[in-house]
């Protein structure tokens, strides 16, 4: 009798019974009761992570009340403020200086006072300006101090202010009440304008020189996915005056031709002197731009299962997972950020944060050719969107609400705008199947923790991830999706993109994202090292008449900021890492390596009058000394005045020594996007993902994931029935078979849950 089929059936039966028992037991238990955290991960920090926490709703309200009562000027609700009035643009937490925080976290020092940063627009002043105030201590404010001059070297001119939602609304009213009525025949007969069927999209920056506030607005059909429905009309509005009644139209563009204003366009139309391209009216659902599925629902997609509930813990703004711990937050302008990132109880980074997302467009239409979106100015945190379970994040994810106060005097809650989940990536983190000499299998599932937010800034959706692996590696990644921006197809438009629909040109553009990575590898003081390879020719010692080409390790210390600034497409050492003063067991400096994943397009030429405002994008990597006065690589004020940038990253690099110093890595990744027909109805994330990895490099004595409880190991000498008993009773990973070949056949139908 052949015992092999019997054993296979027995394995199937036992596995089925055990799986059913697991399901029944986990249904009766709280999902948190089975979490077993290693000692270095136990929560003993007594709320220390709250030093980085975002402002609470109560703190925001208290700051607003304080400002209303202590500034001596009237503050108008930002949602209805005129440019000539004063308002609170937004609030954020003021993170204390790093030295203060480290004294508190590491040396038993006093908790730094909790403070807020308030950005105010003072339009009702003899000299209108933008002012930044630090307000504290929270939760009961008693003081404020003006930090504008200290941060920026002077007052911030009022024309640099990021555009509030109310200003766009006011411009929309100006177009509807004054501009469009001046061309009644054209608007009715060509645009079929009914007062509500056109939508506008802003270009930026706004002009050609400092002080300009002159913006091109593109007209689209107001339907679902309107970004893909241009009608050929663009209007240049001069809204530089603080008196709305003085706003005016500077130029009008229609189907390849420029006009002084709408009156001139109307005259040319009535005289038959313009080429009319009447766009077919789209249905409300947008037709081709609709996101509605074109197929009926079928079998459900696969789901993940947590046999004993989540293996991570979220407490306030802190996350604990498999030896990792970190604090998280959401900046109004810059979005997702991390602080105090530790592995195995040791800090590896003080701060990792998104800095900016930049898009530079090309087109033969005025708005498209002049657009350089700096999305931090619009607000990567402000426009963080709610996350849909099962699509944006797994159903089993932990969803976190975030708060912000912008364009209002009241805090706004964004429900489920951040998610945390452990994800089985469906592949081994490491494995080996040995069929030479000894017979064994060893492996570890690649299960990682993901922290995610998605910012929808206009047409684009940015999926921001920070991913924590069991081997001590950390990944920062962004995936781009949403609608491509488009221009009206005319003339030589195909030089600047692909035709996506009848009148729709998908315009070529670049994406660049910038991160701040403040690594503290085994302490604050680090140096920057570069390892790479060269081939060397040598004689074969055993056969001197023969030569061998062999790779040799090259080593270099990068001593200065200039040496550590790598231009975008320049050759960079393949291994570049922050090195500690301490060594591992094998005598190597402990380090963390920076590995960038990018397929960036070209950076705007340095001769451009606005290049300094985005000069961080010159570099794929730049490492500088950390300075409190250089907290970010850019400024929200650069968008509306890139010609005199408030912050110019290029000034950070001044050849200072970076040996044994507190260092920051500024990482840029990006890709070139030439929209194509498969971007209809919108862009997919596949292939549109860039970012970086931080990987331990001689930081440990061996791979720390060897201590993971998820490991699997078995040999040919272990008994199959023993494996079944152990899997059923102890949930252990040392599952075995009576012989290696039989186990290989059985393992595909029998799985042992491991913890």
């Amino acid at each position: 009798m052949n015992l092999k089929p019997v054993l296979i059936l027995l394995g199937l039966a036992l596995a089925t019974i055990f799986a059913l028992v697991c399901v029944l037991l986990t249904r009766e238990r709280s999902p948190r009761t089975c979490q077993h955290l290693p000692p270095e991960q136990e929560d003993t920090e007594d709320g220390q992570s709250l030093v980085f926490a975002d402002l609470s709703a109560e703190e925001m309200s208290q700051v607003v009340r304080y400002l209303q009562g202590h500034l001596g000027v009237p503050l108008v609700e930002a949602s209805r403020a005129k440019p000539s009035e004063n308002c609170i643009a937004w609030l954020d937490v003021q993170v204390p200086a790093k030295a203060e925080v480290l004294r508190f976290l590491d040396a038993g020092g006093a908790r730094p006072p909790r403070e807020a940063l308030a950005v105010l627009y003072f339009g009702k002043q003899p000299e209108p300006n933008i002012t930044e105030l630090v307000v504290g201590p929270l939760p009961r404010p008693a003081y404020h101090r003006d930090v504008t001059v200290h941060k920026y070297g002077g007052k911030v001119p009022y024309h640099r202010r990021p555009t509030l939602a109310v200003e766009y609304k006011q411009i929309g009213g100006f177009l509807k009440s004054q501009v469009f009525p001046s061309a009644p025949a054209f608007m009715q007969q060509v645009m079929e304008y009914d007062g509500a069927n056109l939508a506008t999209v802003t270009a930026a920056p706004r002009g050609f020189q400092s002080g300009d506030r002159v913006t091109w607005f593109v007209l689209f059909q107001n339907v679902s996915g309107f970004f893909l429905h241009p009608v050929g009309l663009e209007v240049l509005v001069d809204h530089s005056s603080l008196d709305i009644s003085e706003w005016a139209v500077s130029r009008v563009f229609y189907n390849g031709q420029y006009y002084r204003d709408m009156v001139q366009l109307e005259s040319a139309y009535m005289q038959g002197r313009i080429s009319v391209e009447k766009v077919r009216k789209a249905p409300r659902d947008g037709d081709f731009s609709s996101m509605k599925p074109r197929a009926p629902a079928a079998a459900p997609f696969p789901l993940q299962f947590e046999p004993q509930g989540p293996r991570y813990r979220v407490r306030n703004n802190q996350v604990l997972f498999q030896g990792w711990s970190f604090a998280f937050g959401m900046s109004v302008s810059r979005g997702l950020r991390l602080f105090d990132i530790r592995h195995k109880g040791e800090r590896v980074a003080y701060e990792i944060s998104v800095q900016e997302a930049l898009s530079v467009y090309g087109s033969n239409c005025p708005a498209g050719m002049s657009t350089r979106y700096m999305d931090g100015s619009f607000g990567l945190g402000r426009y963080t969107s709610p996350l849909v379970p099962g699509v944006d994040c797994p159903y089993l994810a932990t969803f976190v609400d975030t708060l912000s106060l912008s364009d209002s005097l009241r805090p706004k809650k964004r429900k489920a705008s951040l998610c945390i989940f452990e994800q089985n990536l469906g592949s081994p983190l490491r494995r080996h199947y040995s069929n030479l000499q000894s017979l064994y299998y060893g492996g570890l599932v690649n299960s990682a923790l993901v922290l995610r937010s998605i910012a929808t800034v206009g047409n684009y959706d940015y999926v921001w991830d920070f991913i924590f692996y069991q081997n001590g590696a950390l990944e920062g990644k962004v995936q781009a999706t949403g609608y491509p921006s488009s221009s009206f197809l005319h003339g030589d438009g195909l030089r600047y993109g692909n035709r996506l629909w009848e009148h729709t040109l998908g315009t070529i553009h670049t994406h660049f994202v910038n991160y701040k990575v403040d690594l503290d590898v085994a302490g604050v003081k680090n140096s920057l090292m570069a390892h790479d390879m060269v081939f060397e020719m040598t004689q074969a010692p055993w056969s001197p008449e023969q030569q061998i080409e062999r790779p040799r390790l090259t080593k270099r210390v990068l001593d200065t900021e200039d040496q550590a600034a790598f231009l975008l497409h320049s050759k960079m050492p393949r291994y570049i890492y922050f090195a500690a003063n301490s060594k591992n067991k094998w005598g190597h400096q402990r380090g963390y390596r920076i590995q960038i994943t990018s397929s960036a397009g070209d950076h705007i030429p340095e001769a451009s009058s606005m290049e300094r405002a985005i000069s961080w994008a010159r570099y794929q990597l730049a490492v500088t000394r950390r300075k409190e006065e250089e907290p970010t690589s850019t400024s929200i004020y650069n968008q509306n005045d890139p010609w005199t940038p408030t912050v110019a990253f290029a000034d950070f690099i001044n050849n200072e020594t970076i040996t044994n110093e507190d260092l920051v890595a500024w990482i840029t990744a990006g890709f070139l996007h030439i929209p194509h027909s498969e971007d209809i109805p919108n862009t997919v994330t596949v292939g549109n993902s860039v970012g970086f990895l931080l990987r331990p490099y001689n930081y440990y004595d061996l791979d720390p994931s060897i201590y993971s409880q998820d490991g699997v190991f078995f040999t040919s000498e272990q008994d199959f029935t023993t494996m079944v008993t152990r899997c059923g009773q102890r949930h252990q990973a040392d599952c075995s078979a009576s012989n290696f070949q039989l186990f290989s056949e059985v393992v595909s139908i029998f799985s042992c849950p491991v913890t």
Side-chain angles (χ1 to χ4, degrees), residues 344-357:
K344 301 294 183 182
E346 190 172 12
R347 183 180 299 111
V348 296
Y350 177 76
E351 177 188 355
I352 303 175
S353 58
V354 179
Q355 294 292 294
E356 183 63 284

Side-chain angles (χ1 to χ4, degrees), residues 50-65 91-94 114-117 137-141 316-317 329-330 332 337 401-406 409-413:
L50 293 176
V51 72
F52 305 109
D54 294 340
L55 297 177
S56 68
E58 177 60 25
E59 287 173 329
M60 292 178 183
S61 298
Q62 290 286 358
V63 171
V64 169
R65 283 194 286 270
L91 301 180
D92 208 340
V93 66
Q94 174 73 12
R114 187 157 167 79
E115 298 175 322
L117 177 68
L138 303 180
R140 289 177 290 278
N316 298 316
N317 66 325
M330 184 73 70
V332 175
R337 56 188 177 184
D401 301 338
T402 60
L403 290 165
S404 67
L405 191 150
S406 58
L409 292 176
R410 288 170 293 280
K412 180 179 180 181
K413 177 185 288 188

Side-chain angles (χ1 to χ4, degrees), residues 603-644:
H603 177 54
I604 192 169
E606 288 187 32
S608 167
S609 61
M610 65 178 65
E611 189 275 340
R612 277 176 51 78
I614 51 176
S615 53
W616 53 265
R618 292 181 195 175
Y619 308 97
Q620 54 187 314
L621 173 68
V623 177
T624 65
R625 279 195 190 182
R626 188 192 186 280
K627 299 176 182 177
E628 288 295 336
E629 58 269 27
E630 295 175 350
T632 59
S633 61
T634 185
S635 166
I636 59 172
Y637 310 123
N638 283 9
Q639 174 72 89
N640 289 341
D641 188 0
W643 308 282
T644 309

